[in-house]
Amino acid sequence: MLFEKFKNKLVISCQALPDEPLHSPFIMGRMALAAKMAGAVAIRCQSVADIVEIKKVTGLPVIGLIKQNYDDSEIYITPTKKEVQALIDCGCEIIALDATLRDRPNHEKLEDLVMMIKKANRLSLADISNDAEGLNAQKIGFDAVSTTLSGYTPYTPKLKGPDLGLVARMVDKLAIPVFAEGRINTPDDLKRAYEVGAYGVIVGSAITRPQLIAKNFIEALPN
C-alpha cells in the first residue's frame, strides 16, 4: 500500500485559499517543489488546479481534498460526491475528507463516499476530531485516519499544540495507519508525535503559510 512509503516520514501540506496571499496553482507548485527538495514524501493539497500543478511539478503522490462550503452543513473538506468525483478524475492517489459524524450536505452518507473512493481504486484518509470518529472511520472502510480536525469542531478541546492524546489513543485502538496533523508547529512537536506512536506526520502552516509564520515573530516583539 502507498501509505507504507509514508511511515516515519513527513508529508507537507501546501494549501492557500482565495483570501490568502499565496493563492495560486503556480505558487503552490513551487511550494510543493521546495517541500520535495527538503525531503517530503507526499503533498497534501486542495483544489483540482493546485493538485494538477503539484503533481506535474513534483511527481509526488498527493493527498487531495476540495474545500467547499454548503449552506446545510458545517462540513467543508471534500463534503459531497461531487468533490470526491473531481478528485478521482484529477488523479489523486489519496482522497482526504471530513470524517466527523456531523450531517453532510444534501444528507449524503460518509459510507457512500468511502465506497466511491474504493471503487475507483484510490485510498481514503479520514480527517477526524475525536475517538468516536476514528473508530467509525475504520469500521466503514477508511484506509487511514488523520487527527486534522481536533480543535476545529465545536466539541473538541482548543489546544495550542497538537492533540497528541488523540493520536496515542487512536494508535492504541485502530489497526489502520494514524497520522498526526494539526498545530504541529515545531520539530519537537513532530518528535513527540512519533514518540506516542504516529504512523506518519503531516505539517502545513508551520512550513507553508508565511503570513502565519511571520505572525509568530510579530507577536514575540517587545511591547
Side-chain angles (χ1 to χ4, degrees), residues 2-12 35-44 58-62 179 194 200-201:
L2 180 59
F3 281 128
E4 292 172 0
K5 296 181 179 179
F6 300 175
K7 186 172 176 60
N8 296 329
K9 304 293 186 181
L10 179 62
V11 175
I12 294 181
K36 178 183 180 179
M37 291 174 67
V41 295
I43 305 296
R44 178 172 166 125
T58 68
L60 290 177
V62 302
F179 287 86
Y194 278 116
V201 173

Side-chain angles (χ1 to χ4, degrees), residues 1 7 12 25-26 30 54 65 81 106 111 119-120 124 145 159 176 186 195 205:
M1 185 188 292
K7 186 172 176 60
I12 294 181
F26 173 79
R30 297 289 110 183
I54 285 168
L65 58 130
K81 293 176 183 177
N106 311 322
E111 295 90 332
K119 286 182 177 177
S124 54
V145 303
L159 305 176
I176 56 178
T186 68
E195 286 168 2
S205 296

